Amino acid sequence: MSGGNTPASMPIPSGIEGAKLGTATRTGKDEHALYVRAEWSKFHRDGAPLQRFAARVVASPRSVLDVGCGAGQELLPYLGTLCVGIDVRRTGLVEGRSLFGARAPPLLVATAEALPFASGAFEVVLCRIALPYMDVHRALDEMTRVLAPGGALVLQIHHLRYYLRRGLEGPRELIHALRVIARGAVFELTGRQPRGEVFQLIGSLGRMLDAAGLAVIEIDESDRTAPIVVARRQLARASF
């Protein structure tokens, strides 16, 4: 895969020491803080698949937005550009600013359904495992709006398979999975999204992306429970 450095090949910026990850339990961090720090560690271990997929559409983007960013680790390969992360939970953003240190990009409290940015402001928009918790139609419309024509949207989603597998992990997980599956089934069958977490299927997601003005160009299902979908914002048609 081409298109820029990945965490395995790039130096870790000043202020981003792995030792910081071990401080959470000693300083009384809450469960969400521990979660986002674990995701930060996982990013360094596994690499940056969203960035690599985005690079196939926009090799060297000048502006990048991470929607539902948590601590913002997906922005690590983009620190030399204009990059911004947004999330509804302040806890993760605070942790991200600590982990990035002096080179922290803007990490803002905002919702995907009402992004506080100008239309066409970003060449790449990333959204990793956050779409299940959003108003999907409104979030996709907003992500498309702030994406420049020809820009890349890279989504990693929780497929129905994720919840089927999670339901096998114990009674508590089964109850949660059944609730999500029920809501997702209503969404799939009626097009109306109930309040709360839902799963995505590739076919219906592709139709929603098309309706939002995006063309799916690649689907990676190497993780069948959490596939990655790459879409390009269609170029504006000339008016005569």
Side-chain angles (χ1 to χ4, degrees):
M1 298 180 184
S2 61
N5 294 325
T6 65
S9 60
M10 70 182 183
I12 297 176
S14 174
I16 308 177
E17 296 87 5
K20 290 185 177 182
L21 297 171
T23 64
T25 54
R26 296 195 299 273
T27 55
K29 300 293 184 183
D30 67 19
E31 186 175 346
H32 186 246
L34 294 171
Y35 166 76
V36 297
R37 283 177 172 255
E39 291 297 297
W40 179 283
S41 180
K42 180 180 177 183
F43 180 91
H44 281 281
R45 184 178 69 247
D46 297 345
L50 300 196
Q51 182 260 347
R52 294 198 297 273
F53 281 106
R56 300 180 183 182
V57 181
V58 184
S60 300
R62 292 169 293 181
S63 52
V64 179
L65 173 65
D66 184 5
V67 177
C69 67
Q73 64 274 357
E74 300 295 334
L75 297 175
L76 282 166
Y78 298 109
L79 289 181
T81 70
L82 189 162
C83 59
V84 182
I86 69 104
D87 204 295
V88 296
R89 297 192 66 169
R90 190 179 301 274
T91 308
L93 306 179
V94 171
E95 295 302 313
R97 292 176 191 134
S98 173
L99 290 162
F100 275 105
R103 294 194 64 184
L107 300 174
L108 311 174
V109 175
T111 67
E113 296 85 354
L115 293 170
F117 307 109
S119 298
F122 298 96
E123 293 184 320
V124 168
V125 175
L126 309 174
C127 183
R128 177 183 173 273
I129 311 298
L131 197 62
Y133 307 97
M134 300 172 180
D135 181 319
V136 176
H137 286 293
R138 290 176 59 195
L140 291 177
D141 284 344
E142 275 291 274
M143 285 187 266
T144 303
R145 180 185 65 80
V146 303
L147 192 60
L153 172 65
V154 185
L155 299 168
Q156 187 168 25
I157 61 172
H158 273 160
H159 194 275
L160 173 60
R161 302 182 195 101
Y162 170 82
Y163 297 99
L164 294 174
R165 187 183 69 178
R166 183 171 176 179
L168 301 175
E169 296 175 1
R172 182 179 176 182
E173 289 75 15
L174 176 61
I175 292 170
H176 174 75
L178 289 174
R179 287 173 176 166
V180 176
I181 291 169
R183 287 192 293 263
V186 171
F187 190 26
E188 287 289 322
L189 293 171
T190 69
R192 297 188 181 92
Q193 182 178 349
R195 187 179 183 88
E197 184 180 355
V198 295
F199 63 80
Q200 277 85 51
L201 297 179
I202 295 298
S204 55
L205 178 60
R207 290 189 290 273
M208 286 187 283
L209 290 169
D210 182 69
L214 295 157
V216 175
I217 62 171
E218 187 169 359
I219 299 168
D220 180 83
E221 294 191 82
S222 53
D223 180 349
R224 288 171 57 80
T225 67
I228 295 172
V229 178
V230 185
R232 178 190 286 116
R233 182 171 180 188
Q234 298 173 6
L235 298 175
R237 295 175 181 173
S239 58
F240 297 95

